[in-house]
Amino acid sequence: MVIHARSSSLIPLYNFLLAGLLFLSPAFSVTQIDSISFEFNDTPLKTALRKLIDDYGVSIVYPDNIANNLISARCISCSEKEAIVSVLSTSNLVWKQTGDQFTILNPTKPFRFGVLGRAMDKESGDPIPYANVFISELKIGDISRSDGTFSISNISSRTCTLTISYIGYETEKVPLKFPKDESIFQEIFISPKVLSTEAVSITGAAREFMDRSISPGQISFSPRHISTLPNLGEVDIFRSLQLLPGIQLGLGGTSGLFIRGGTPDQNLILLDGMPLYQTGHIFGFVSGINANSIKDVQVYKGGFPAQYGGRISSVIELTSRNGNSLKPHGGLYGNLMSQGLSGELPLFSRGSWNFNFRQSTTSDYQTDLYQAIQEFVTGDDKFNLIGESADSTKKQTALYSPQFSYQDFTSKVSFIISPNNRITFTSTAGKDSIRESREFIGFGSLLGYDTTYTQEMTEWRSAGSILNWSSNWDHEWDTQLTLSNNEYTSSYDSENSARDQLEEMIIGTAKEENYLKDKTIKIHNRFKGFENHLIEFGIDESFYENRFYDEKMDGTQSNITIFEQEGFLHSFYIQNRWVPTEKWVIQPGIRVNYYSEHEKYYSSPRISIIKKILPNFTLESSIGKHYQFIHQLEGDYTTRGSQGMWILSSELIPNISSTNHHLGFNWDYGNYSLTTEFYYRFLNNLFQLKDSYIPASSLKQNRDADDDLMDGGKGFARGFELLLRKQKGRLTGWLSYQRNQTQYEFPGLNNGDPFLSDHDVTQEFKSVLMTSIGTWNLTANWVYASGRVFTHPDNIQVDPSYNILVSKGKNGERLNSIHHLDVSISKTWLIFSTRIHFGLSVYNLYNQNNMSHKRYNPYTPSLTASDVAMLGITPTLFLQISF
């Protein structure tokens, strides 16, 4: 059958009439999108619903027995769904949509909503980690993850206000209406606080550096204004952390972190989840972390969450900056120690690339400060001690010419695949180069030749990368996958030559090549499906490989020693953060480790409790067991090549452990806060290698079980900390006091008697005061600390090989206390789109003559002990240009 078309002359008429009928139809006249506007004030609910039906033609069905409560709602150019949400926002009714019809019902069970989102910097679009996200009226909340995401579940109100705060940022409040906002990914931008204005008077917001966090003994630290703190050559994150209670001042002014009686290698230092093995430059005087690349620092001194393991003293979690995802930025900076540059580039409006490069000043332009630091950190070297023993009456002289340099590079690429999926790739690299030239004249009785020359070259390198993939499945479940690869290497080459009468010859060479490799995969899950519970669980798989290569040539004799280790550490953990009431937070957890070299499981249970006694007064406590399976070589029996290298626990080397106890009180009163914490740590299976300057040779030899490869022992660390902070006002800052005792007991040392550790410091008082005058930032810190321990020379003997032996009274004496005042003044100019930050910092303003430690010299005719002075008054200039 053929159907013929209508006459073409009538088609326009039919189309016109049909369009007119549709336009005039009531069904079509009220269903246009975003066309509903109303304002109800104390209006009965059923009246409001009837108005939507009668005036706007919204298809609504509801039972007669719904509560006809008074409501207040407002909507301008809303859709039908938005209108329903607005009208029902203050009721407990639920609704569903079937086609164009909305059905309103009385709830059969309490409703629970959830919200998912990300906290971001308003100026740069950079995600903000560890922001505090909470709903105050319901007393529930979350802490944003490293990628800025947060989720809150079990929201029992249709309307509420989401509050987001972070150190140094304005607090942002966002109203939420459910269920509409449950399906919307909330990207919330918060603005950095403006610190000052052009007014001459003291104005502006206080510089904020730290705050308490959610775990006992945890501190959140923001390095955003770290350049305004007094510094020594470099703007240094680790040196700034030393101003916090529980983290003692670095020995001799170095940047090493000694936390609650622990040593630096007992700290788990993570960069975006990747463990770091080279954390310092110039023998630890400068931290190996570029402050310009870091967004956030979390310090765990008390109870570690179960997701962290492998160290026994503390966890330092560093989150690097993602960079500006809105527009390109760059920067140049310099000081008396180093110079650097940085860059930030958006990637397709869905991510960014951020990089930072730093390099020390070249040998031709090294400052007096640089030279002073070189002399300080190399003074205890064996050959320098030989040089100090020179006797002018015997025509002995020694010349020493060192050249130090360092550089590091950090890069991070972040990309948003979707609102719920984000990938970041972080890479870092560092390098220290040490060139040393020595000449000894007249030391034939000690070195075998009248004149000897030594050329040495040492390099320490690190290179690591980590891939993080964060997935938020919904507001109840999220997963983070991390893959990391890290390698730390050290190399040492030396050549010794001698001249006897007119003949010059090579008398010996040394070569060391050592490395540690760490490949890790981690899967971390968070689940909030149960009310008042946050369950976190996951696995860690770490694969280690290290190698010591030592080659010595002495005349015609050559000796090569190779020592290799391989092992893996498998860990599973689970923890539950339970909030039974608004006054209690209980977090039990357990971490189970399997270490291949010992073929044994190690269980690490832990629990923390927080009790809110008053709205402004809380009590916190934690206890946990921790194990460490990898250790750093330090001490008298290391060489340039092996110093700072890492070794694995094995049949000969035990894994050390610590049981950590923590008790604290927190009190907030207006602009002030007071924190008091007590701790006790029981240390077990401590060890100290001995009898060899060549660890590879010492470890390689076949030994009986009862052979004395090392001294083993135990110990404890105990103390308390006090922190008083003033957070707002014309003058802000903090005062802290800590008292500590770290004691060891080794059957093979000190006649078996207990002795204080080398890094024991009885007490420290630290004060930091900050203010601003106009646009100038002023900061001063004054510190006072007990002197370091030492052994009286009467209790020390020197063997024929010039090794120092302590017979008794180890570390029984203490140097005089130290104290110094450091000040900093800085100012920021904004010229068009260029930001210039300039400052002057002065260390030890009143030039106090502080002693760092005792230096023993076994190469003199009789043992000598001298005091080593710390740096005197030391000014530093720094400049940073951002554009």
Side-chain angles (χ1 to χ4, degrees):
M1 180 177 62
V2 178
I3 299 177
H4 298 278
R6 299 180 187 272
S7 172
S8 60
S9 61
L10 296 177
I11 290 178
L13 176 60
Y14 289 141
N15 290 342
F16 176 81
L17 293 175
L18 180 59
L21 290 173
L22 291 175
F23 180 80
L24 295 174
S25 170
F28 284 85
S29 64
V30 298
T31 56
Q32 299 180 52
I33 297 176
D34 298 335
S35 62
I36 301 176
S37 299
F38 58 77
E39 184 170 1
F40 300 129
N41 293 306
D42 294 332
T43 303
L45 174 59
K46 292 183 179 180
T47 302
L49 293 175
R50 178 53 57 187
K51 184 174 179 63
L52 293 180
I53 296 171
D54 295 340
D55 293 358
Y56 297 100
V58 182
S59 180
I60 302 175
V61 177
Y62 59 87
D64 292 335
N65 62 348
I66 64 172
N68 194 25
N69 298 325
L70 299 179
I71 67 163
S72 295
R74 184 172 182 267
C75 207
I76 299 176
S77 299
C78 294
S79 65
E80 291 181 348
K81 182 177 179 179
E82 291 171 335
I84 294 293
V85 169
S86 179
V87 169
L88 299 180
S89 61
T90 58
S91 73
N92 66 343
L93 300 173
V94 297
W95 59 270
K96 64 179 181 179
Q97 183 179 4
T98 305
D100 294 333
Q101 179 175 287
F102 294 88
T103 302
I104 299 174
L105 303 167
N106 286 304
T108 57
K109 59 181 180 180
F111 50 77
R112 292 291 185 266
F113 301 108
V115 63
L116 180 65
R118 177 177 285 113
M120 306 177 74
D121 187 305
K122 189 174 183 178
E123 293 184 355
S124 66
D126 195 3
I128 298 178
Y130 296 96
N132 190 13
V133 186
F134 61 98
I135 300 173
S136 58
E137 56 263 46
L138 300 178
K139 295 181 172 58
I140 58 176
D142 192 17
I143 300 295
S144 64
R145 269 79 81 194
S146 58
D147 62 347
T149 58
F150 61 86
S151 63
I152 302 176
S153 58
N154 296 306
I155 300 174
S156 59
S157 175
R158 289 187 180 278
T159 60
C160 58
T161 301
L162 191 67
T163 303
I164 301 94
S165 63
Y166 182 68
I167 305 169
Y169 282 74
E170 301 288 351
T171 298
E172 184 74 15
K173 295 187 176 183
V174 179
L176 298 176
K177 290 184 178 181
F178 296 106
K180 180 192 69 172
D181 286 327
E182 187 171 37
S183 60
I184 299 175
F185 187 85
Q186 305 288 332
E187 288 193 338
I188 302 174
F189 294 85
I190 59 177
S191 301
K193 288 182 178 179
V194 178
L195 292 184
S196 59
T197 68
E198 293 298 328
V200 177
S201 60
I202 300 175
T203 63
R207 284 168 280 157
E208 297 177 351
F209 288 92
M210 64 174 166
D211 202 355
R212 290 194 301 270
S213 196
I214 61 174
S215 296
Q218 181 183 356
I219 295 178
S220 297
F221 186 85
S222 172
R224 180 179 171 223
H225 304 299
I226 194 175
S227 61
T228 64
L229 292 175
N231 58 76
L232 183 57
E234 284 274 8
V235 177
D236 197 302
I237 284 185
F238 287 179
R239 205 183 299 277
S240 299
L241 292 178
Q242 292 173 1
L243 297 174
L244 303 179
I247 306 177
Q248 71 185 52
L249 302 172
L251 302 181
T254 61
S255 65
L257 297 179
F258 296 83
I259 300 178
R260 290 191 171 179
T263 54
D265 74 310
Q266 295 171 3
N267 304 317
L268 177 61
I269 301 178
L270 302 171
L271 176 62
D272 292 341
M274 174 177 59
L276 299 180
Y277 295 96
Q278 184 188 25
T279 58
H281 295 303
I282 317 182
F283 298 92
F285 200 90
V286 176
S287 73
I289 311 299
N290 190 337
N292 291 289
S293 64
I294 302 302
K295 177 71 174 181
D296 178 88
V297 182
Q298 298 294 312
V299 181
Y300 298 85
K301 300 181 300 176
F304 312 163
Q307 69 192 80
Y308 302 110
R311 301 293 189 278
I312 64 171
S313 181
S314 74
V315 177
I316 311 292
E317 187 170 22
L318 307 169
T319 303
S320 64
R321 298 178 62 243
N322 285 272
N324 198 307
S325 61
L326 305 177
K327 54 184 177 180
H329 277 275
L332 301 171
Y333 50 90
N335 51 59
L336 298 184
M337 295 287 292
S338 66
Q339 302 81 39
L341 60 90
S342 62
E344 304 172 42
L345 296 174
L347 298 177
F348 313 109
S349 300
R350 299 180 67 88
S352 59
W353 175 41
N354 178 61
F355 69 87
N356 278 272
F357 175 75
R358 175 177 62 169
Q359 180 167 314
S360 61
T361 54
T362 62
S363 57
D364 295 333
Y365 301 98
Q366 288 180 353
T367 62
D368 293 339
L369 171 61
Y370 208 102
Q371 298 293 336
I373 292 174
Q374 286 184 359
E375 294 175 5
F376 178 82
V377 299
T378 60
D380 294 326
D381 177 81
K382 168 187 173 182
F383 289 109
N384 287 342
L385 293 176
I386 293 175
E388 285 187 0
S389 69
D391 187 348
S392 58
T393 62
K394 298 179 180 179
K395 297 183 180 180
Q396 292 180 333
T397 59
L399 301 175
Y400 176 53
S401 176
Q403 293 183 358
F404 290 10
S405 66
Y406 64 88
Q407 61 186 38
D408 50 54
F409 177 79
T410 304
S411 170
K412 185 174 185 178
V413 176
S414 60
F415 193 77
I416 299 176
I417 301 175
S418 68
N420 293 329
N421 289 272
R422 185 184 188 95
I423 289 180
T424 64
F425 181 77
T426 306
S427 58
T428 181
K431 176 184 174 182
D432 275 65
S433 297
I434 307 170
R435 295 179 181 272
E436 299 167 284
S437 298
R438 307 176 190 270
E439 181 178 357
F440 298 95
I441 301 175
F443 286 85
S445 60
L446 185 63
L447 300 177
Y449 296 89
D450 180 72
T451 302
T452 61
Y453 306 92
T454 302
Q455 298 290 329
E456 299 173 284
M457 176 63 188
T458 306
E459 281 193 354
W460 298 318
R461 293 175 177 265
S462 65
S465 58
I466 182 169
L467 175 70
N468 281 284
W469 187 335
S470 302
S471 296
N472 298 282
W473 311 113
D474 53 36
H475 57 266
E476 294 182 345
W477 187 292
D478 63 78
T479 301
Q480 184 175 27
L481 169 67
T482 63
L483 303 171
S484 68
N485 180 36
N486 205 343
E487 182 173 358
Y488 174 60
T489 63
S490 68
S491 63
Y492 171 76
D493 288 279
S494 70
E495 182 180 274
N496 299 324
S497 58
R499 186 174 68 239
D500 197 0
Q501 295 180 352
L502 298 177
E503 184 180 0
E504 184 170 334
M505 69 193 80
I506 296 177
I507 58 175
T509 61
K511 180 180 180 64
E512 292 185 58
E513 294 285 348
N514 310 314
Y515 67 75
L516 168 73
K517 297 180 180 180
D518 174 0
K519 295 179 173 61
T520 298
I521 178 172
K522 180 175 181 178
I523 301 176
H524 179 71
N525 297 276
R526 294 173 16 122
F527 179 67
K528 295 184 175 182
F530 303 112
E531 187 174 1
N532 301 327
H533 291 268
L534 169 58
I535 300 174
E536 298 182 77
F537 61 95
I539 60 171
D540 279 353
E541 295 280 356
S542 295
F543 300 88
Y544 301 110
E545 178 185 350
N546 74 334
R547 183 177 188 265
F548 290 86
Y549 175 88
D550 182 86
E551 180 181 349
K552 293 286 189 298
M553 191 277 289
D554 185 6
T556 59
Q557 300 294 322
S558 179
N559 182 47
I560 297 177
T561 303
I562 299 176
F563 175 73
E564 296 178 331
Q565 290 181 299
E566 289 185 353
F568 68 85
L569 179 65
H570 169 72
S571 304
F572 168 80
Y573 61 88
I574 185 170
Q575 67 185 23
N576 177 22
R577 182 177 176 84
W578 178 35
V579 187
T581 71
E582 63 179 83
K583 294 185 177 181
W584 286 93
V585 179
I586 303 172
Q587 182 168 293
I590 188 170
R591 185 181 184 92
V592 179
N593 306 289
Y594 176 80
Y595 183 57
S596 63
E597 294 301 283
H598 289 166
E599 297 182 346
K600 185 178 178 181
Y601 288 93
Y602 298 88
S603 177
S604 301
R606 56 199 75 180
I607 186 172
S608 65
I609 300 174
I610 300 176
K611 173 67 167 71
K612 182 179 290 186
I613 299 175
L614 297 172
N616 64 339
F617 186 82
T618 59
L619 168 68
E620 61 183 35
S621 175
S622 69
I623 182 172
K625 179 81 171 180
H626 310 280
Y627 291 93
Q628 183 165 333
F629 305 91
I630 185 168
H631 321 278
Q632 192 171 30
L633 292 174
E634 296 289 352
D636 298 332
Y637 298 108
T638 59
T639 61
R640 275 282 192 264
S642 63
Q643 182 177 2
M645 182 48 63
W646 296 75
I647 58 174
L648 304 180
S649 293
S650 64
E651 294 181 0
L652 298 176
I653 302 173
N655 53 275
I656 60 178
S657 65
S658 175
T659 303
N660 298 350
H661 303 76
H662 169 95
L663 176 66
F665 305 89
N666 301 300
W667 179 55
D668 297 316
Y669 184 76
N671 295 331
Y672 296 87
S673 68
L674 177 67
T675 298
T676 303
E677 296 176 336
F678 300 84
Y679 62 89
Y680 185 91
R681 302 177 57 222
F682 178 73
L683 311 171
N684 199 20
N685 287 336
L686 301 177
F687 69 90
Q688 177 179 311
L689 293 175
K690 63 180 183 179
D691 295 342
S692 176
Y693 281 98
I694 311 169
S697 300
S698 176
L699 296 169
K700 177 68 176 178
Q701 295 173 2
N702 296 322
R703 295 173 178 264
D704 297 330
D706 59 349
D707 201 354
D708 57 351
L709 166 66
M710 66 189 70
D711 292 306
K714 60 183 179 179
F716 67 81
R718 62 187 177 188
F720 76 91
E721 305 160 5
L722 185 70
L723 174 65
L724 175 64
R725 287 193 299 150
K726 185 174 185 289
Q727 303 172 65
K728 295 181 181 179
R730 299 176 63 183
L731 183 68
T732 61
W734 64 87
L735 307 175
S736 72
Y737 175 80
Q738 65 190 57
R739 190 172 184 87
N740 173 79
Q741 182 186 21
T742 304
Q743 182 174 288
Y744 295 156
E745 184 177 346
F746 287 70
L749 296 177
N750 200 43
N751 288 329
D753 296 329
F755 59 92
L756 296 175
S757 69
D758 292 343
H759 58 277
D760 178 84
V761 174
T762 302
Q763 57 185 348
E764 285 187 346
F765 174 81
K766 294 173 279 195
S767 61
V768 179
L769 300 178
M770 299 174 288
T771 189
S772 59
I773 300 178
T775 56
W776 288 90
N777 293 315
L778 307 177
T779 307
N781 65 259
W782 185 77
V783 300
Y784 172 91
S786 303
R788 283 188 66 180
V789 295
F790 69 95
T791 303
H792 196 280
D794 291 345
N795 297 324
I796 296 177
Q797 289 82 41
V798 179
D799 68 11
S801 299
Y802 300 98
N803 295 319
I804 293 177
L805 305 176
V806 178
S807 59
K808 60 181 180 178
K810 181 176 176 63
N811 292 339
E813 308 291 331
R814 191 178 294 274
L815 293 172
N816 292 331
S817 299
I818 66 168
H819 55 88
H820 55 86
L821 173 66
D822 313 324
V823 297
S824 174
I825 181 171
S826 61
K827 180 180 173 65
T828 300
W829 291 269
L830 186 62
I831 303 176
F832 299 107
S833 60
T834 301
R835 180 178 177 270
I836 302 175
H837 183 55
F838 170 79
L840 167 67
S841 181
V842 181
Y843 172 84
N844 197 1
L845 182 64
Y846 51 77
N847 202 29
Q848 173 67 19
N849 187 27
N850 293 312
M851 295 298 114
S852 167
H853 61 281
K854 281 283 186 183
R855 177 175 291 162
Y856 302 102
N857 194 334
Y859 301 102
T860 53
S862 61
L863 178 73
T864 60
S866 58
D867 293 336
V868 179
M870 299 170 63
L871 296 179
I873 182 171
T874 307
T876 299
L877 297 173
F878 61 89
L879 175 67
Q880 184 172 15
I881 302 174
S882 305
F883 47 87

